[in-house]
Amino acid sequence: MTATQETQTSQAMTPLAAGFHDPVHDAQACFRAVMNAMARPGTRQSLDIAGLTPPAPLTSVAAALALTLLDYDTPVWLDKPLMASEAVKAFLRFHTGAPIVNEPVEAAFALVANPGQMIPLASFNQGSAEYPDRSATVILLGQGFGAARTATPAVTLTGPGIQDSTAFPVGPVPPVFWEQVAANSRQFPRGIDLIFAGAAEIAALPRSTRILPTEV
Amino acid sequence: MTDTARIPESLHEQGEYNFAYLDEQTKRMIRRAILKGIAIPGYQVPFASREMPMPYGWGTGGVQVTAAILGRSDCLKMIDQGSDDTTNAVSLRGFFEKTAGVRTTCETAEASIIQTRHRIPEKDLREDQILVFQVPIPEPLRFLEPRETETRKMHALEDYGLMHVKLYEDIAKNGHIATTYAYPVKVNDRYVMDPSPTPKFDNPKIDRMAALQLYGAGREKRIYAIPPYTKVKSLDFEDYPFEIQKFDKPCGLCGAENVYLDEVILDDKGGRMFVCSDSDYCEERRADGHLGPMAADPAAARVGNTRTGETIR
């Protein structure tokens, strides 16, 4: 009890980590990386995150994405490790003003620090047939790209933004993740959009992308 | 005495505007709409369009999209009906030169962002380029069904029968599909979309284009997008397939064939010629030594030279 209180006090005492050094141009550069990633699903876009030192378990890349995309209009949902950190919540509240919500379905954005244990994609707002744009964007933290760095085999993607098809090795993701992603794209135009945040790179998977069955 | 009224030069350097005019919250809102637009190709995302320091119809939608994506290292090209030197293009280029201080160009190949009103450049666009369209009426079904609630439902149910009826009536009345601009397309086999009032000549260029296309409608408050290499099909019938305009003569100045031509009146005695609507393309060809049948004509040469002079500026 006392130990928890002490941790919380010490977290509250640590000075708030800084946001973007140059809010206008850093946010623009970050957005262009996100836009290119979304327009070309599966491609890796590098992100300049110099100077961002957000409290763990929030990563620099995820912090950059939050500072670029979140504000008072966008309720955000945090997974357990992030929700447990007062420093993360203070960082997001101060720099973005985004309301932090408890129910995944209420969120416009979701930050997932422990993607291996992620809740099903169907828990998030899928948008409606009339307004498919009102669905959530889910950001997975701590992702590694490239075959060597992922435990799961690469999936093959096809759809808008991809010339023919492209291999997309990424991880860690939960065991049934790709089935969920395939189901997500089947309900197009409804569905959520995914952003994979690595150490200095991002990739994205909009709902329009189809997952091709992998040849054995 | 006049000195007191003059705004000191240094005030300009302090920057009266945020970079690219819009405030950061507005940019974030537009950026989120752009991301959803890209994720749902051809779907019109509602956004909180702002009042811009120019009237509706001058490209307020395109300007807001450009302002939200523009960065310091970008090179911007502005075209109006294919031309870099008409009023709309010149004033919008000036707007971004003043509020963002970015590099601008008239050369298609040099630009990283091209904002356009009603044309797509003749030169193939690359993967690292972005094409921003100014859109007056984003809803392709609007003139067939005025109610937003109904058109929204039609898009949700993929109910596009009405659009085919319209094209059929064209054939019944005129013997062919008489729609020549804002020709409806189906994006990625799902959404019917208005490619803005570009001539249907440009529709084949939208299909599997290497560049990202963003569409902004300011007055109607909609943003939509087509990601690179997306299948875009112009609506038609098996027995009346989609076809583009054909010109029986090449460009009068540069001799280019298979390009979109504008009619230019040369005198009050019926003299006229047809020239490339894409002024940069035409100039580049003439610089390479291509000559059209009218190039030697003194009246035509005057038209060509004026264009060159203004573009170099």
Side-chain angles (χ1 to χ4, degrees):
Chain A
M1 183 65 192
T2 342
T4 0
Q5 273 175 345
E6 266 171 22
T7 342
Q8 277 180 355
T9 336
S10 70
Q11 273 177 347
M13 290 295 281
T14 47
L16 195 68
F20 281 136
H21 175 67
D22 182 345
V24 173
H25 296 101
D26 288 354
Q28 187 274 337
C30 181
F31 167 72
R32 277 291 274 274
V34 179
M35 184 176 81
N36 287 336
M38 203 59 96
R40 293 170 176 80
T43 59
R44 289 145 71 175
Q45 307 287 335
S46 59
L47 209 62
D48 184 22
I49 34 131
L52 279 183
T53 48
L58 196 64
T59 63
S60 307
V61 168
L65 292 171
L67 295 175
T68 304
L69 297 171
L70 303 187
D71 56 30
Y72 54 77
D73 270 346
T74 55
V76 60
W77 180 85
L78 307 174
D79 77 342
K80 253 187 203 144
L82 288 169
M83 204 62 166
S85 164
E86 283 304 321
V88 166
K89 285 192 274 187
F91 178 86
L92 291 175
R93 279 202 193 99
F94 179 80
H95 288 294
T96 72
I100 296 170
V101 294
N102 290 317
E103 293 301 321
V105 74
E106 289 170 4
F109 285 90
L111 290 168
V112 180
N114 184 4
Q117 308 272 314
M118 193 175 52
I119 61 168
L121 294 181
S123 329
F124 297 102
N125 187 353
Q126 311 287 306
S128 64
E130 272 92 357
Y131 291 95
D133 58 295
R134 292 181 182 173
S135 66
T137 304
V138 179
I139 300 169
L140 307 187
L141 278 58
Q143 297 291 301
F145 304 102
R149 301 180 57 181
T150 60
T152 46
V155 287
T156 308
L157 312 177
T158 184
I162 304 166
Q163 199 159 10
D164 297 305
S165 65
T166 181
F168 184 41
V170 72
V173 290
V176 289
F177 181 72
W178 295 112
E179 283 84 351
Q180 290 179 20
V181 173
N184 183 57
S185 87
R186 269 198 300 276
Q187 57 168 349
F188 185 89
R190 297 176 69 226
I192 57 137
D193 306 308
L194 295 156
I195 299 175
F196 300 85
E201 286 178 318
I202 56 164
L205 206 52
R207 68 197 82 174
S208 58
T209 304
R210 278 178 294 122
I211 313 287
L212 290 179
T214 14
E215 302 106 62
V216 184
Chain B
M1 218 173 92
T2 42
D3 282 353
T4 49
R6 193 180 297 159
I7 297 167
E9 203 62 29
S10 58
L11 204 65
H12 286 287
E13 282 147 32
Q14 289 171 16
E16 306 95 321
Y17 297 109
N18 186 27
F19 179 79
Y21 185 79
L22 293 176
D23 61 278
E24 289 303 301
Q25 200 277 330
T26 300
K27 286 187 194 169
R28 269 194 301 272
M29 175 270 296
I30 295 172
R31 285 166 181 170
R32 289 192 295 256
I34 291 172
L35 292 183
K36 288 297 173 192
I38 293 171
I40 319 165
Y43 167 75
Q44 303 159 49
V45 183
F47 80 110
S49 177
R50 301 293 195 247
E51 202 156 333
M52 299 300 284
M54 62 200 72
Y56 288 133
W58 279 69
T60 53
V63 165
Q64 289 179 77
V65 170
T66 301
I69 63 174
L70 192 68
R72 272 184 297 204
S73 54
D74 275 312
C75 182
L76 190 63
K77 173 181 162 82
M78 282 280 176
I79 50 174
D80 171 10
Q81 306 272 11
S83 171
D84 291 284
D85 43 27
T86 46
T87 315
N88 192 233
V90 170
S91 41
L92 293 188
R93 189 163 59 230
F95 174 78
F96 280 111
E97 277 168 358
K98 183 172 181 185
T99 60
V102 291
R103 207 155 56 86
T104 56
T105 183
C106 295
E107 283 173 38
T108 304
E110 200 190 348
S112 58
I113 298 175
I114 303 172
Q115 184 177 324
T116 173
R117 174 175 174 272
H118 310 179
R119 257 334 290 289
I120 297 171
E122 302 291 355
K123 197 177 272 181
D124 283 341
L125 298 181
R126 300 185 312 263
E127 278 197 0
D128 60 341
Q129 294 179 308
I130 301 167
L131 190 57
V132 178
F133 291 78
Q134 303 169 199
V135 183
I137 310 278
E139 178 52 73
L141 304 166
R142 183 60 70 233
F143 291 109
L144 308 169
E145 171 52 68
R147 288 167 297 180
E148 169 69 14
T149 47
E150 292 305 302
T151 51
R152 189 161 284 283
K153 201 162 281 170
M154 287 156 80
H155 282 296
L157 300 174
E158 209 179 340
D159 175 9
Y160 296 126
L162 204 54
M163 186 54 94
H164 280 101
V165 170
K166 190 232 171 207
L167 295 176
Y168 167 75
E169 283 180 351
D170 257 14
I171 296 169
K173 273 186 204 154
N174 308 301
H176 61 277
I177 298 178
T179 308
T180 54
Y181 65 95
Y183 192 102
V185 294
K186 197 164 204 181
V187 182
N188 195 32
D189 294 322
R190 178 58 180 81
Y191 281 102
V192 164
M193 189 200 94
D194 180 350
S196 85
T198 50
K200 66 176 176 180
F201 181 87
D202 285 337
N203 273 23
K205 293 180 195 158
I206 304 174
D207 183 29
R208 292 172 217 279
M209 183 190 274
L212 168 66
Q213 303 167 59
L214 302 173
Y215 293 77
R219 177 183 47 210
E220 303 291 323
K221 303 174 173 55
R222 295 290 185 274
I223 285 173
Y224 50 106
I226 304 180
Y229 307 116
T230 302
K231 183 182 163 194
V232 179
K233 192 185 180 313
S234 304
L235 298 182
D236 61 358
F237 299 100
E238 272 173 25
D239 48 347
Y240 284 88
F242 171 78
E243 41 188 36
I244 59 172
Q245 290 101 328
K246 288 196 178 67
F247 299 89
D248 45 8
K249 270 190 259 179
C251 167
L253 292 175
C254 76
E257 291 180 32
N258 301 320
V259 294
Y260 196 74
L261 302 179
D262 280 343
E263 184 181 8
V264 178
I265 306 292
L266 295 174
D267 50 35
D268 54 4
K269 294 189 274 303
R272 58 190 191 138
M273 68 169 174
F274 288 89
V275 294
C276 293
S277 123
D278 185 339
S279 57
D280 171 57
Y281 184 77
C282 196
E283 271 158 30
E284 200 180 291
R285 276 181 58 87
R286 276 181 282 153
D288 289 348
H290 294 278
L291 284 181
M294 299 283 282
D297 192 296
R302 204 172 57 238
V303 174
N305 289 339
T306 322
R307 284 181 154 207
T308 319
E310 278 182 25
T311 310
I312 288 168
R313 226 164 31 100

